[in-house]
Amino acid sequence: MKIDKNTFIVSDTHLGHANILKYCKSRVLNMKFKKYIDHDKWIKDNWNFVVKNEDTLIHLGDLSFKGNVNVIKGLNGDKYLLKGNHEDLKDQDYLDNGFKEIKDYIQIEEYKNDQLFLNKVKELKKLRCFNFILTEVDGLRLLLSHFPIVDTDGYDVRYESQINGLKWIFDYCKCDYNLHGHTHENIMKNDKCINVSIENIRFKPMKLGEILLKKKH
């Protein structure tokens, strides 16, 4: 998988999760503005408006909710899924609908044979839904993950070990930014965190280059 500034990124679509509208009011407002009643159709139309089948897309978790395979059908792109805490479909269901699972992805050569790093990752992989992508784009070293590297707002203490593990990787690998999901409308009080939950990227997948440019400004 090649990751560059044209790779689409998105997180926390929560397809099939009607109750998400009780917690994320910005979704309700945008749906009303766009004259949508069906949450899943709104997400899919927004997605397919910007993503074509030849585009690469990385989803940072919580794609869907409660095991309904039909809700992930018909989404454009060459799609990769970094599983979040709500991924509960069978692996084959994701594969049948074009989603390839990322268990971890290390694109920076110096860490592929770093034994201290690899041993630490091996331990961290024992945690529930712990995965990440380590890559470089346009001279920036990036850690992509479902959970953020900090939990400054006490958003979800259940995943403190995962968050601390990601922070260790971020610091050890001297990363510039952490692109994450999980916290929806909650923005972490850390300028190294870039929240790509769908509420923060105009309710549709966004190209990595545009996300980074937006962060710089």
Side-chain angles (χ1 to χ4, degrees):
M1 175 181 56
K2 180 183 179 183
I3 301 174
D4 59 27
K5 62 184 180 181
N6 291 314
T7 301
F8 280 95
I9 306 290
V10 69
S11 188
D12 301 284
T13 43
H14 281 247
L15 290 160
H17 187 189
N19 280 343
I20 195 70
L21 298 177
K22 295 180 181 179
Y23 308 106
C24 297
K25 299 304 181 185
S26 61
R27 296 192 188 220
V28 177
L29 292 173
N30 191 267
M31 284 176 64
K32 286 183 177 179
F33 178 74
K34 295 286 184 66
K35 296 181 169 56
Y36 276 86
I37 297 173
D38 188 313
H39 175 260
D40 290 349
K41 181 169 172 50
W42 170 67
I43 293 285
K44 289 181 178 182
D45 285 354
N46 282 350
W47 178 310
N48 289 338
F49 182 74
V50 295
V51 180
K52 308 308 175 190
N53 276 328
E54 62 270 19
D55 292 325
T56 299
L57 178 142
I58 300 173
H59 196 295
L60 297 187
D62 290 3
L63 167 67
S64 60
F65 194 72
K66 295 298 183 187
N68 181 358
V69 69
N70 289 321
V71 298
I72 69 169
K73 294 180 182 296
L75 293 165
N76 290 346
D78 182 23
K79 305 178 289 291
Y80 295 81
L81 176 62
L82 197 68
K83 286 185 175 180
N85 52 296
H86 283 306
E87 257 60 64
D88 52 10
L89 295 176
K90 296 177 182 178
D91 289 349
Q92 193 60 46
D93 290 332
Y94 295 111
L95 292 171
D96 287 346
N97 288 281
F99 284 91
K100 304 162 187 141
E101 182 185 353
I102 305 168
K103 296 188 176 176
D104 55 63
Y105 186 76
I106 303 165
Q107 202 176 29
I108 301 175
E109 289 296 327
E110 66 186 277
Y111 298 109
K112 290 181 178 179
N113 297 303
D114 184 321
Q115 206 55 53
L116 175 62
F117 172 75
L118 295 176
N119 287 342
K120 180 69 172 181
V121 168
K122 184 177 179 181
E123 284 300 309
L124 291 170
K125 292 295 288 181
K126 296 175 182 178
L127 297 171
R128 179 173 178 261
C129 53
F130 185 90
N131 43 38
F132 66 94
I133 299 170
L134 183 63
T135 189
E136 283 184 335
V137 175
D138 288 351
L140 292 172
R141 188 164 290 188
L142 308 174
L143 178 67
L144 280 63
S145 55
H146 178 66
F147 302 111
I149 58 169
V150 294
D151 188 13
T152 50
D153 295 324
Y155 180 81
D156 201 338
V157 295
R158 292 177 298 170
Y159 299 105
E160 182 179 6
S161 296
Q162 287 87 336
I163 289 167
N164 289 338
L166 290 166
K167 182 65 164 59
W168 185 92
I169 293 173
F170 186 90
D171 290 340
Y172 185 79
C173 298
K174 299 180 176 63
C175 294
D176 294 293
Y177 293 114
N178 168 223
L179 278 71
H180 69 88
H182 187 62
T183 62
H184 292 272
E185 295 169 341
N186 293 284
I187 304 299
M188 296 297 99
K189 297 182 180 74
N190 184 312
D191 62 5
K192 300 296 185 182
C193 292
I194 304 176
N195 186 344
V196 294
S197 295
I198 203 165
E199 294 86 357
N200 301 296
I201 53 173
R202 303 197 287 266
F203 304 102
K204 59 178 71 74
M206 184 180 286
K207 287 186 177 181
L208 181 52
E210 188 178 356
I211 293 169
L212 295 173
L213 185 63
K214 180 181 173 184
K215 178 65 177 178
K216 289 178 182 178
H217 293 86

